[in-house]
Amino acid sequence: MVVMVSNGNSPAGAFAPVLTAMSTMRDGQREQKKAAHAYLESFQKSAEAWQVTIGILQSTADPEAKLFAATTLRGKITYDVTQIPSDALPLLRDQVLELLKVFATGPRPIRIQLCVCLAILAIQMTGWKDVVQVVVSTLGSSPESHACILDFLKVLPEEVTEGRKINLTEAELQQRTQELLGDNAAIVVQLLINYAQSSDTAATNPQLLEVITSWLREVPVSDVVNSPLLNVVFSALDSDRSFEAATDCLCAIFKETRDVDDNLSTIQILLPRVIALQPRIAQAQQQEDTELFKGVTRIFAEAGEAWVVLIARDPGVFRPLVEAVLECAARDMDRDAIALTFIFWYELKLYLILERYIEARMQYMDVYSKLVDVMLKELEFPSADGPNSSDLFDGDREAEEKFREFRHHMGDVLKDCCEIMGVTECLSKVLDRIKAWMGSYAGMATHESVPHWQQLEAPLFSMRALGRMVDKDEDIILPQIMPLIVQIPHHEKLRFATIMVLGRYTEWTSNHPELLESQFKYIVSSFETDSKEIVRAAAMAMKFFCTDCKHQLGGQVVQLQHFYNQTLDKLPLISQEELTEGVASVVAVQPPGQIFDLLKLYCDPLMARLMALANQASDDEGKLAVADHLQLITTFIQIVKPYVEPDQENPAVRYCQEIFPILSTILDTFMTFTPICERICRNWRHMVISYRTAISPLLPAMATKLASGFATSRQGCFLWATSAILREFSEDREHVDDQTTEAIYTFFEAQSTNMLRIMNDLLPQETPDVIEDFYRLLVDALLYYPHKLVHSQLFTPIFQAGVSALALEQRDPLIAVLHYIRDVIGYGGENPPSSTNAANPPEIQRVVQQLILSNGEHLVKQILAGMMITFPDDCFSDGSGALLGLFELMPEATAAWVDKTVRMLPTGTVSEAEIERLMVGIKSRLVEGREGIRKVRSLLQDFTNNYRRRYVAPRDGLGRLEPERFRFNS
């Protein structure tokens, strides 16, 4: 029961421990703060918190303590109102209203929290019908109360629309929304008009505009636009005090008119008033008022976004709005506001490229042409102000990174322009810029200095941005540009930009081989520069050249190896990988008869480096170098996949057989170093994936090493290599005999037995990564070997181990386990997640159903405990999906398990009424059949989400919801 606190004026009263804990949180030592935090967290959920928080708010405590009390009261009203008898709620409401009177003049954060308290209480007091009238009349008409009333009116619609966190049914919430918002809309509009007309100060009060914005979703937008409030909003743009709030309000009005055909009359009122703001653009630029310029830009851009279909439909009327957006972009020299226009240009483009708007497209062509000019100018790097000509951002690395990211967004706008204007017209502007620079400054360039290089680099960057838009058959502009750019004077940023362009247009170059040699030489020569950035760019470009022009480079495959061998050690790791990917692509398209020799030519030097690195590796840094170098070998295996007939020897497999003993020796040597184990397992996994059943000659040796490696190291990488073998040699695969299939399944069971022993010895929290790899392997095993796995003696302990693993709190292992559990449940019915279209045999269904009957209670307990307390957010859908599967398979038994589980929740955390409402809801929906079962899933999600928001995980464990320890007797 909520009562007024009699000793509220004394800090030594009932709430003294709370004040002491807050003081400790502010000034105490680490352990003291920890204890204080635990106390305050417990206090906020206690029944005593009702009296204590109101007592603190009535006391002379400091504002920080009162804000904590108001915030706690908000949480109590949201989640714990069931702790108060329903007949005591009016008293609580009156107390909150009295507190609002006390804090009417501030501090505002406390006043806001109390307004939220009152709004949430109003939602739950379904018998209170005259909420707005009571609040307005109770708080009074004095000027001090106006701020309080406006705050309440602002938060009311916000809290109602967030009502899913309140424990009401959907029907109750819908009805309450209509009572609180729909039925009060006209009243609120009139209140706001009266207030706005009460004084000039009131008309420019940002709070007034915030309330209008908040109610726009509830009040028909035409009611606002056709009322004096529209003048209030536009007039507020003239005041610095209210400009930002008026901008927000106006943009919210635009959003409400997005259904343009339903709001044509409203838009006709708004459009001329928006266009009339256009002089503000130049005014803001001249005054160098950044905030004013951004606000005006936002108004034009968001009006354009809202009315974009009308802009495409009626360019004669709406062109002035488009020109205003363009002017905003053109005048934004500091690049502070131009990004606000990007969405508009994109959305308008989406309409203009449609056939039905072809006429409008032609009318806006000149606008997009001017936009290209704007973007090409905005893309330019700034000029260096200081003596260091290479430091363009005065040492501000954050500004530099922001500009680089911003350029890519501008590149997206250029793509939009290209779709409207066509590739030739866009590239023509780029060519003109390059020629203009060449004509003006090329003769002045030296090796040390390139004047106004920014004006050349920007069109180069734009070419890179437009790469995706340019067809490889383009024969008008690119043949003029490409010979020019490989002659550009040396400058680090120009060379970098040129390399990136060449790498972007390699598909085009493959179609124009006459230009390949000059570009290829340019890239190769770039590896000799001192710039790390240029070398990295050259490696990336080389990857694309070799990938896209691999057939043209086939004749140089031997010379390419000499370049590769000489260059590799000079590159950083990522560039080594990119260059390797490129040369491997050239090797891959050579005739199968040459593949073995070419692999030896390219990979033998890599293997020699690998062995040298392994012999020298005495510390972690040396061992990591071994792991990194292994990736280069794997790249060749991933890419070089020659096709040979099934009865012929695969030359790549022949080479794998040569290097396998060396890799095995390295694995044995570094078995305790995880990165090397992972890279070797990845290498072997890709041998299987790339060469599929042709890898059969290596299988016995590989399986032996994977089994012994897992038994010794207990590392999950051995399991995901096992998974590849399981997939490629499944029961229904061609060219795989029964003996091989049986041997592979036996190998899988050996790995599983070892894993179950690990899970017997260790808690799930000690080995989450291996659990993830194991259950991903099991998903494959169930998919490809369902008959063998379901009838296996390991089927039950594997499932029980998975249930125990649901105690984990990491996302990825939990998702892997839940996917396996969902798949197993699927095999209990007629439509399992099978790799074939065959019917699920009744005997398999019976085995799975018996497994679930024996373990279902524990499974449901762990899933619900996870969804309510321990699971990360990303696991909710899989958890509820598993419950849905159980309800579809065994509805009555699952309902009983859910009932039993929710009654295990800690005392006081959930009421008997809530449990009964949940179970009645479940049972009523189960009789509706399949559609009803899906509604059960929603019921459980709502229940668990609500519980999770109200309670944190108990510090002394989960009590009766604690998972059972998995035990395995092999």
Side-chain angles (χ1 to χ4, degrees):
M1 181 75 177
V2 178
V3 295
M4 303 292 280
V5 178
S6 58
N7 60 352
N9 291 322
S10 169
F15 46 85
V18 177
L19 300 180
T20 302
M22 289 195 65
S23 176
T24 302
M25 287 292 291
R26 190 169 51 240
D27 304 319
Q29 300 299 315
R30 182 174 179 179
E31 288 304 313
Q32 293 173 322
K33 286 182 177 181
K34 204 171 176 181
H37 181 270
Y39 169 77
L40 291 173
E41 200 173 53
S42 173
F43 159 75
Q44 287 181 311
K45 293 176 171 55
S46 68
E48 299 76 44
W50 292 103
Q51 290 182 335
V52 174
T53 52
I54 292 175
I56 292 174
L57 287 164
Q58 294 169 342
S59 75
T60 57
D62 61 64
E64 185 182 0
K66 291 182 178 180
L67 180 59
F68 171 78
T71 306
T72 299
L73 184 60
R74 170 184 176 174
K76 298 299 289 181
I77 293 173
T78 304
Y79 300 119
D80 296 337
V81 81
T82 53
Q83 293 175 345
I84 299 175
S86 57
D87 58 0
L89 291 179
L91 174 59
L92 175 61
R93 174 194 63 194
D94 295 343
Q95 288 178 316
V96 175
L97 280 166
E98 286 303 314
L99 288 170
L100 270 174
K101 287 183 181 180
V102 173
F103 291 98
T105 57
R108 193 182 182 205
I110 298 174
R111 189 176 73 214
I112 292 282
Q113 290 298 320
L114 291 172
C115 286
V116 173
C117 289
L118 190 59
I120 297 171
L121 191 58
I123 299 169
Q124 298 185 81
M125 290 180 66
T126 53
W128 183 15
K129 305 299 183 182
D130 52 351
V131 172
V132 172
Q133 295 91 327
V134 168
V135 171
V136 171
S137 62
T138 303
L139 293 177
S141 58
S142 65
E144 309 89 65
S145 68
H146 289 164
C148 202
I149 293 171
L150 289 171
D151 279 340
F152 175 74
L153 291 177
K154 177 180 180 293
V155 302
L156 181 61
E158 295 169 358
E159 294 306 317
V160 171
T161 53
E162 289 292 318
R164 286 197 62 79
K165 65 187 177 187
I166 293 169
N167 200 16
L168 294 177
T169 65
E170 286 294 330
E172 289 172 333
L173 192 56
Q174 285 179 7
Q175 181 182 348
R176 201 62 182 138
T177 300
Q178 178 59 35
E179 291 172 351
L180 291 173
L181 303 182
D183 296 349
N184 283 315
I187 298 171
V188 170
V189 168
Q190 192 56 52
L191 278 172
L192 298 179
I193 292 171
N194 294 343
Y195 173 72
Q197 294 175 341
S198 64
S199 69
D200 292 341
T201 304
T204 57
N205 184 353
Q207 277 186 279
L208 167 66
L209 297 155
E210 289 169 1
V211 177
I212 298 172
T213 304
S214 184
W215 277 81
L216 273 168
R217 282 177 294 183
E218 318 307 329
V219 177
V221 68
S222 58
D223 290 0
V224 173
V225 171
N226 289 299
S227 76
L229 292 178
L230 185 65
N231 285 331
V232 170
V233 176
F234 273 98
S235 298
L237 292 170
D238 296 327
S239 166
D240 290 343
R241 173 188 182 220
S242 55
F243 177 78
E244 184 179 353
T247 300
D248 290 339
C249 187
L250 204 50
C251 291
I253 290 173
F254 299 151
K255 283 188 174 70
E256 294 303 315
T257 62
R258 277 182 174 269
D259 293 329
V260 293
D261 292 319
D262 296 335
N263 292 284
L264 271 177
S265 58
T266 301
I267 294 169
Q268 286 166 354
I269 295 171
L270 290 169
L271 179 63
R273 302 202 62 167
V274 173
I275 297 300
L277 298 172
Q278 188 166 1
R280 295 280 191 94
I281 304 170
Q283 176 191 340
Q285 183 196 19
Q286 290 159 8
Q287 294 174 355
E288 297 184 355
D289 188 333
T290 302
E291 293 308 312
L292 175 61
F293 193 93
K294 286 169 71 173
V296 173
T297 301
R298 186 179 161 212
I299 289 170
F300 285 116
E302 294 200 25
E305 290 169 32
W307 306 333
V308 64
V309 65
L310 293 178
I311 292 172
R313 195 186 293 169
D314 196 350
V317 173
F318 285 88
R319 183 182 172 98
L321 179 57
V322 179
E323 290 177 339
V325 180
L326 178 65
E327 184 182 349
C328 290
R331 289 185 179 273
D332 185 21
M333 292 298 99
D334 296 327
R335 305 183 184 91
D336 289 318
I338 190 171
L340 297 171
T341 71
F342 291 172
I343 294 174
F344 167 70
W345 298 120
Y346 171 73
E347 294 195 348
L348 180 57
K349 181 248 345 200
L350 291 179
Y351 282 98
L352 295 182
I353 59 176
L354 299 176
E355 189 66 32
R356 65 184 297 184
Y357 296 118
I358 186 69
E359 186 177 336
R361 177 177 173 181
M362 299 308 295
Q363 293 193 44
Y364 288 123
M365 190 83 75
D366 64 314
V367 174
Y368 275 91
S369 178
K370 291 173 185 173
L371 183 60
V372 172
D373 295 331
V374 170
M375 291 296 141
L376 287 172
K377 185 63 182 171
E378 297 280 8
L379 281 171
E380 291 179 13
F381 273 99
S383 299
D385 295 328
N388 184 358
S389 61
S390 62
D391 190 355
L392 307 175
F393 296 89
D394 298 327
D396 189 340
R397 294 293 156 248
E398 184 179 346
E400 182 175 3
E401 187 57 38
K402 185 179 177 183
F403 176 71
R404 289 178 186 275
E405 182 182 348
F406 183 54
R407 296 180 98 205
H408 289 286
H409 294 306
M410 287 193 280
D412 291 336
V413 178
L414 279 172
K415 294 188 190 83
D416 297 334
C417 297
C418 191
E419 287 193 69
I420 299 299
M421 298 168 57
V423 169
T424 301
E425 286 71 16
C426 270
L427 286 179
S428 293
K429 286 182 173 288
V430 173
L431 177 60
D432 290 344
R433 293 272 177 144
I434 294 173
K435 283 182 174 179
W437 186 92
M438 292 282 194
S440 301
Y441 305 114
M444 301 162 56
T446 66
H447 194 71
E448 289 76 28
S449 173
V450 180
H452 302 286
W453 61 266
Q454 292 92 337
Q455 295 177 24
L456 181 55
E457 193 276 343
L460 289 173
F461 181 89
S462 70
M463 273 192 72
R464 174 181 160 199
L466 293 171
R468 181 173 60 84
M469 313 299 297
V470 181
D471 190 89
K472 63 181 181 179
D473 295 323
E474 204 283 327
D475 285 327
I476 301 171
I477 306 298
L478 283 183
Q480 299 179 61
I481 293 181
M482 289 303 187
L484 284 178
I485 65 175
V486 294
Q487 302 172 42
I488 283 174
H490 178 77
H491 181 282
E492 182 175 1
K493 282 194 163 41
L494 291 177
R495 192 170 191 98
F496 176 82
T498 303
I499 291 169
M500 297 302 283
V501 169
L502 296 178
R504 190 67 184 82
Y505 285 83
T506 49
E507 281 190 45
W508 181 88
T509 302
S510 71
N511 215 36
H512 297 77
E514 70 277 6
L515 295 172
L516 172 60
E517 185 178 355
S518 60
Q519 295 180 38
F520 197 71
K521 284 181 178 177
Y522 188 91
I523 299 297
V524 169
S525 66
S526 299
F527 283 95
E528 303 302 322
T529 63
D530 296 329
S531 167
K532 293 180 180 178
E533 193 171 29
I534 287 178
V535 169
R536 285 197 296 269
M540 184 187 297
M542 183 64 81
K543 178 182 80 169
F544 292 127
F545 264 102
C546 292
T547 302
D548 293 330
C549 305
K550 51 183 174 281
H551 295 287
Q552 291 86 344
L553 293 171
Q556 303 177 44
V557 67
V558 175
Q559 297 94 311
L560 195 59
Q561 192 277 332
H562 294 309
F563 162 75
Y564 174 67
N565 200 36
Q566 292 169 1
T567 309
L568 191 66
D569 293 335
K570 302 174 186 177
L571 303 178
L573 175 63
I574 188 168
S575 297
Q576 288 184 354
E577 293 175 357
E578 288 171 340
L579 184 59
T580 301
E581 188 177 334
V583 297
S585 299
V586 179
V587 172
V589 297
Q590 305 312 304
Q594 298 177 21
I595 292 294
F596 178 74
D597 291 334
L598 286 172
L599 282 174
K600 285 189 70 64
L601 178 67
Y602 276 84
C603 294
D604 278 359
L606 294 179
M607 291 301 297
R609 285 186 179 89
L610 180 65
M611 288 186 284
L613 288 169
N615 289 331
Q616 297 163 10
S618 56
D619 56 13
D620 283 357
E621 185 178 352
K623 294 173 185 177
L624 283 171
V626 174
D628 291 338
H629 202 73
L630 276 162
Q631 177 58 29
L632 305 183
I633 310 289
T634 304
T635 298
F636 274 94
I637 290 169
Q638 286 177 276
I639 294 173
V640 182
K641 299 184 281 190
Y643 175 77
V644 295
E645 294 296 331
D647 57 344
Q648 294 180 2
E649 182 184 43
N650 188 307
V653 173
R654 180 183 166 198
Y655 187 73
C656 290
Q657 288 176 286
E658 280 198 7
I659 64 174
F660 187 84
I662 300 171
L663 298 177
S664 297
T665 302
I666 292 173
L667 177 66
D668 292 339
T669 305
F670 298 100
M671 185 66 76
T672 58
F673 191 70
T674 301
I676 289 180
C677 292
E678 288 180 346
R679 291 301 173 87
I680 288 180
C681 286
R682 189 171 189 271
N683 182 285
W684 292 351
R685 180 171 173 265
H686 280 289
M687 286 183 185
V688 177
I689 292 171
S690 291
Y691 310 126
R692 311 191 73 169
T693 54
I695 202 72
S696 295
L698 259 179
L699 271 187
M702 188 182 290
T704 300
K705 296 304 295 185
L706 290 174
S708 63
F710 182 57
T712 303
S713 72
R714 295 185 169 186
Q715 292 181 34
C717 56
F718 293 94
L719 296 178
W720 43 264
T722 300
S723 181
I725 296 175
L726 210 64
R727 279 196 302 272
E728 293 302 331
F729 291 85
S730 58
E731 289 179 302
D732 56 350
R733 189 74 76 187
E734 286 185 329
H735 311 299
V736 179
D737 58 61
D738 292 344
Q739 186 178 355
T740 301
T741 300
E742 193 61 42
I744 287 169
Y745 183 76
T746 302
F747 159 57
F748 156 73
E749 285 216 339
Q751 297 286 65
S752 299
T753 301
N754 279 328
M755 182 64 196
L756 291 172
R757 288 174 182 148
I758 293 171
M759 294 184 75
N760 179 76
D761 297 340
L762 302 174
L763 291 171
Q765 292 79 1
E766 297 175 81
T767 180
D769 293 342
V770 187
I771 287 175
E772 177 189 347
D773 291 324
F774 180 52
Y775 280 92
R776 291 195 188 284
L777 168 64
L778 283 165
V779 167
D780 285 335
L782 190 60
L783 185 64
Y784 295 110
Y785 290 83
H787 301 275
K788 285 184 168 64
L789 180 57
V790 169
H791 292 296
S792 165
Q793 292 182 337
L794 298 180
F795 187 52
T796 297
I798 284 171
F799 189 82
Q800 292 169 339
V803 174
S804 73
L806 294 177
L808 288 167
E809 297 182 20
Q810 294 97 322
R811 184 194 69 172
D812 291 339
L814 275 172
I815 287 176
V817 173
L818 286 166
H819 281 185
Y820 175 71
I821 287 172
R822 292 183 68 177
D823 287 354
V824 169
I825 294 169
Y827 273 94
E830 296 180 354
N831 297 299
S834 172
S835 61
T836 68
N837 293 322
N840 191 26
E843 61 270 22
I844 284 190
Q845 295 183 44
R846 281 195 298 271
V847 171
V848 171
Q849 289 171 14
Q850 187 55 51
L851 173 78
I852 293 171
L853 277 173
S854 303
N855 298 275
E857 182 180 325
H858 189 201
L859 172 62
V860 169
K861 183 180 81 169
Q862 291 312 119
I863 292 175
L864 283 175
M867 291 176 67
M868 286 187 285
I869 301 170
T870 59
F871 282 0
D873 291 348
D874 291 347
C875 298
F876 283 13
S877 62
D878 281 312
S880 65
L883 291 174
L884 173 65
L886 289 171
F887 272 110
E888 289 174 338
L889 195 62
M890 301 174 176
E892 293 181 3
T894 306
W897 296 330
V898 169
D899 191 324
K900 188 169 183 179
T901 298
V902 294
R903 295 181 191 281
M904 294 181 183
L905 290 166
T907 305
T909 63
V910 62
S911 68
E912 182 66 27
E914 288 176 290
I915 293 175
E916 285 303 317
R917 181 161 59 183
L918 171 68
M919 296 314 302
V920 167
I922 288 175
K923 288 170 184 173
S924 67
R925 282 161 177 77
L926 287 180
V927 299
E928 298 175 16
R930 185 172 183 81
E931 194 55 41
I933 288 175
R934 296 197 173 277
K935 293 177 184 175
V936 168
R937 181 181 188 178
S938 297
L939 277 177
L940 285 169
Q941 283 179 318
D942 289 346
F943 180 84
T944 54
N945 286 341
N946 193 40
Y947 187 91
R948 191 182 189 91
R949 280 190 290 260
R950 285 155 59 185
Y951 299 100
V952 294
R955 296 181 183 279
D956 53 353
L958 301 180
R960 295 164 68 194
L961 294 178
E962 285 285 356
E964 296 176 13
R965 180 72 186 267
F966 170 70
R967 294 299 179 195
F968 175 62
N969 296 314
S970 55

